[in-house]
Structures are given as structure tokens and as C-alpha cells.
Amino acid sequence: MSPARVRQRREPLLAERFGLFAECLLTGVWIAVASLGVVTCPAAFAAGARHLRRRTAHQGGGLREFTADFRSALRGGWAVGVAGWIIVLLAWVDVRAVRAGLPGGPPAGAVGLLALIGLAVAGLRAAAVWAPGERWRALLAGAGRRTVQDPAGSFLLVGGAVLTCCSALLIAPLAVPVLGAVAAAAVAVEERYGRR
């Protein structure tokens, strides 16, 4: 086979992959803007993940579809967002108790931190499979099971979250587009789990 033919075959694949990467970065910006309401984070990730699933299935989609999905996900997603921030507040209180030197503080702090990480991963996994009409309670229950049953995928999402935090610490604006990469990772983890 001639090098020209090989190059012709690879260029569309490369263009497609780069296009998906660019779409992830754009989706990260949309997720960040939609998350400005603080309790809207789960709905924003759900809309972003659904947008990326559409793009990988070559079904099109754009800002209008993202906005419609965000509004639909927000119907039950705001309660998940409120619960998430309450859990973060409890984890902060737990850390403060550990720092105060309470007896048994370090083990309790470690358990609290692991629980917070597990709940965040379950939230990402639930958002990755959300579709209009889905109930968040059922999504979270299934995502909790998958978080435990698929530790490799869960660790991948933890790594994505750590990358986002490191990006925010090093170059704050970089954390915004990286949110789309975290949503893409959650979609990939769920698709991988579904093929098992």
C-alpha cells in the first residue's frame, strides 16, 4: 500500500479525534458556565455528557441541544446539587474536627475523605448516563453499584478530578475546558463498563 493511501486514511481519523478533543474542551466551557449556579453542577455535567455521547455517535448537537438537556436535567438535578454541597460541607466539618485533634480523628477523616471521593465518582457516573426522563435517584443508585463493581473506571475518574484540581491550581483558566475532558472520561468509563 502506498504511503499516500495510508496518509489519506489516517488524516480523517486524526481529524475526527482532534475534533472530539476540541468538542470536549468546548463542552467544558459550557459545563463551567452552566455550573455557575453552584447547585447546577450535576445537571451541567449530565448535559455535557449527553452532548458528548451525541457527538461520538455522529448525531450532531450543539449549544441549543446542550441548553435543552441542561434544563431537563435541572428538574431533579438541583436537589442532587444541594445534597452534594451539604456532603461537601460535612466533609469540611470532618476535616476541621481532625485538625482540632479529636480522638480518632485521623481514621474518621480518612473514611470521610474516601466517602466524599466515592460519592463524587458516583455522581459523575450518574451524570454520564443521564437521559431526559431519567430519575436521579435511580441513576445514583446504579452509579453507586458501578462505582464499587468497576474500581478501574472509578480510579480513572478520580484521576480526572485530580487533574482538574491541579489544572486549577497551576493555571486557573485551564480548569474550565478540562471539565469537558472529565465528562468525556465519565462517558468512556460508562461505555467501557457497558461492554463488559
Side-chain angles (χ1 to χ4, degrees):
M1 188 177 295
S2 72
R5 281 190 162 181
V6 171
R7 207 174 14 245
Q8 285 177 348
R9 286 186 184 171
R10 288 188 184 171
E11 286 176 356
L13 181 61
L14 179 62
E16 181 178 337
R17 288 180 179 170
F18 185 74
L20 180 60
F21 175 68
E23 198 69 38
C24 287
L25 298 180
L26 177 62
T27 303
V29 173
W30 292 349
I31 290 171
V33 170
S35 296
L36 288 176
V38 181
V39 297
T40 60
C41 292
F45 268 97
R50 185 151 192 265
H51 170 73
L52 291 173
R53 286 196 320 263
R54 270 197 304 268
R55 296 299 286 184
T56 57
H58 303 288
Q59 296 176 349
L63 183 58
R64 183 175 293 148
E65 288 82 2
F66 174 87
T67 304
D69 286 339
F70 174 69
R71 286 184 183 141
S72 181
L74 196 55
R75 287 188 191 109
W78 69 269
V80 175
V82 169
W85 283 109
I86 289 171
I87 291 168
V88 168
L89 178 65
L90 291 174
W92 180 77
V93 168
D94 189 37
V95 168
R96 298 292 294 176
V98 168
R99 290 182 135 193
L102 292 177
V111 168
L113 183 61
L114 288 174
L116 179 65
I117 291 170
L119 290 171
V121 168
L124 282 172
R125 292 184 88 134
V129 297
W130 175 87
E134 296 275 352
R135 299 187 78 47
W136 278 96
R137 184 178 299 222
L139 288 173
L140 288 168
R145 284 189 298 277
R146 292 189 305 276
T147 298
V148 173
Q149 294 170 350
D150 181 24
S154 297
F155 284 125
L156 176 67
L157 292 178
V158 169
V162 168
L163 175 67
T164 303
C165 292
C166 289
S167 298
L169 290 173
L170 296 174
I171 305 171
L174 187 60
V176 171
V178 171
L179 291 173
V182 172
V187 168
V189 163
E190 287 300 310
E191 285 184 9
R192 178 185 151 274
Y193 182 82
R195 291 185 193 133
R196 290 171 55 183

